[in-house]
Amino acid sequence: MLGLLGAKLYFSCLRVPGSIAYAVSHPTLFRLCIDCLQVPDICDSRNVSERNNFEKLAPFAISTLESLLPLLNFYEFDSDASTINLLTSKLCELAGTEFSNATVDFNQNFLNIPERERRRQRYSHSYVLTSLAYQGLSFLINSDEHDEKKCICRYILHFLSRHILCCKVKNVPIPAKFLNIKNKAVSFICYSLQNNKNLLSELTSTALKRLCLKVEDKSDFRVAASHAVFTIMFSLYANDLAEFINWLLQLIDSTETSSRIFALEVLGFYWVTTYHKLTKQDYEKTKLYIFLLYLLFLPF
């Protein structure tokens, strides 16, 4: 609690005009304050005391985030990328706080919503934390003041992919709350692509390839990840989409069985979706290709 209060005070000092001239900003101190942005993980916990601790700390974390977010539009990060790495990881971690199926409005500026209105709308602490975290990620992506925008976007896509892969899940089937977190991450990536496709399209295509290679070899995880990949890929530029599909076709020849199966699942979603748009000639070609893929997996 004291750490969160100290971090809030420091972020408030950084927002004072002229603070940079007086050397208030220091990378190490900034990272220490960012590191204080953590609350108990209650997503996979049934411990009542942890939930009580979360409810006690959440208001302080929200207040600290509200002091931090305005900085993200103009703060200059150090060149070693360690600050960016820590900041994006913390924001992505907080983005997974809300595990209900409540929809997050990424266009809504939560900083401008007063506390009374939040109470009237009955927003939970976890929902507010998640909304503020995604708003902070949007600030990082869309700000024109950062020279490290590509680096920032790579880190954001990397850490959000952990939600898509459901890395915290230990057993199957995957609980609905983790799928809700995954869906929010997918929605945010699609939203960001729609608003900043020039910057994110190629980076997202690369991130999707890495994600495809990290999916756990269990049907539940493959289905969850393939739905996410299929949803995101159609927000890419046409040339990036075509290149990604070509990469999936090459992945079918991988020596890893799990990679081949996952590529087939994603392409299966693609073919089912485009089935009604195919001409008769294209349909015959598709049937032939699927038959060849079937032969590929026949035991000999």
Side-chain angles (χ1 to χ4, degrees):
M1 185 183 300
L2 291 177
L4 287 170
L5 291 173
K8 177 185 177 181
L9 177 61
Y10 181 67
F11 295 146
S12 299
C13 290
L14 288 177
R15 291 164 53 193
V16 175
S19 60
I20 297 178
Y22 290 96
V24 175
S25 175
H26 192 279
T28 303
L29 187 55
F30 186 81
R31 285 194 294 270
L32 288 173
C33 291
I34 292 295
D35 202 35
C36 293
L37 276 171
Q38 53 187 356
V39 291
D41 185 5
I42 59 172
C43 187
D44 198 26
S45 174
R46 298 179 181 178
N47 193 324
V48 177
S49 63
E50 286 189 4
R51 291 182 177 273
N52 291 335
N53 288 336
F54 173 82
E55 292 299 328
K56 290 178 182 178
L57 289 175
F60 296 97
I62 290 171
S63 180
T64 304
L65 261 183
E66 289 174 334
S67 295
L68 170 65
L69 260 56
L71 282 173
L72 302 183
N73 286 314
F74 60 86
Y75 186 82
E76 295 184 5
F77 299 101
D78 54 324
S79 57
D80 65 357
S82 58
T83 303
I84 300 173
N85 186 1
L86 180 62
L87 175 61
T88 52
S89 67
K90 285 294 181 181
L91 289 177
C92 290
E93 181 182 335
L94 291 173
T97 307
E98 175 59 39
F99 50 81
S100 73
N101 60 356
T103 303
V104 176
D105 185 359
F106 303 116
N107 285 312
Q108 190 175 37
N109 190 344
F110 242 77
L111 289 175
N112 294 335
I113 301 179
E115 181 66 26
R116 181 179 297 180
E117 179 64 18
R118 293 178 187 175
R119 291 177 181 174
R120 191 181 71 82
Q121 296 289 344
R122 296 183 179 180
Y123 291 139
S124 64
H125 288 147
S126 57
Y127 182 84
V128 175
L129 276 173
T130 295
S131 299
L132 288 173
Y134 276 122
Q135 187 171 345
L137 294 175
S138 292
F139 284 167
L140 289 173
I141 292 173
N142 297 316
S143 175
D144 295 327
E145 299 298 324
H146 302 312
D147 297 329
E148 313 87 352
K149 287 188 71 171
K150 285 192 174 182
C151 179
I152 290 172
C153 293
R154 288 192 191 98
Y155 279 122
I156 291 174
L157 291 168
H158 168 71
F159 289 116
L160 286 181
S161 68
R162 295 181 58 83
H163 293 320
I164 297 174
L165 293 171
C166 301
C167 291
K168 291 184 179 180
V169 179
K170 301 175 182 177
N171 301 311
V172 291
I174 301 175
K177 53 189 176 184
F178 290 103
L179 295 177
N180 292 333
I181 294 173
K182 181 213 72 168
N183 292 335
K184 290 180 179 64
V186 171
S187 298
F188 176 75
I189 293 174
C190 293
Y191 166 81
S192 300
L193 277 166
Q194 291 172 2
N195 289 278
N196 209 334
K197 190 173 290 189
N198 288 335
L199 172 66
L200 287 172
S201 183
E202 184 178 353
L203 297 175
T204 304
S205 176
T206 303
L208 288 179
K209 294 174 185 176
R210 292 174 179 168
L211 187 149
C212 290
L213 299 175
K214 294 180 180 179
V215 179
E216 189 168 345
D217 191 18
K218 293 180 181 178
S219 60
D220 288 52
F221 291 91
R222 287 199 303 268
V223 170
S226 58
H227 273 97
V229 171
F230 177 75
T231 302
I232 295 171
M233 61 190 276
F234 282 102
S235 296
L236 302 174
Y237 273 133
N239 58 330
D240 291 323
L241 173 60
E243 194 272 335
F244 179 68
I245 293 175
N246 183 57
W247 181 84
L248 287 174
L249 292 172
Q250 295 177 13
L251 189 62
I252 294 174
D253 296 326
S254 170
T255 56
E256 295 288 337
T257 304
S258 58
S259 297
R260 295 202 303 268
I261 295 175
F262 184 76
L264 283 172
E265 290 197 12
V266 177
L267 290 172
F269 282 127
Y270 176 75
W271 282 322
V272 168
T273 303
T274 57
Y275 168 77
H276 297 290
K277 301 178 182 179
L278 294 174
T279 64
K280 185 176 181 180
Q281 184 178 5
D282 290 335
Y283 175 64
E284 294 300 326
K285 290 180 180 178
T286 303
K287 282 202 305 182
L288 176 61
Y289 194 79
I290 293 174
F291 176 69
L292 292 175
L293 292 178
Y294 172 74
L295 292 178
L296 180 66
F297 285 92
L298 281 178
F300 292 100

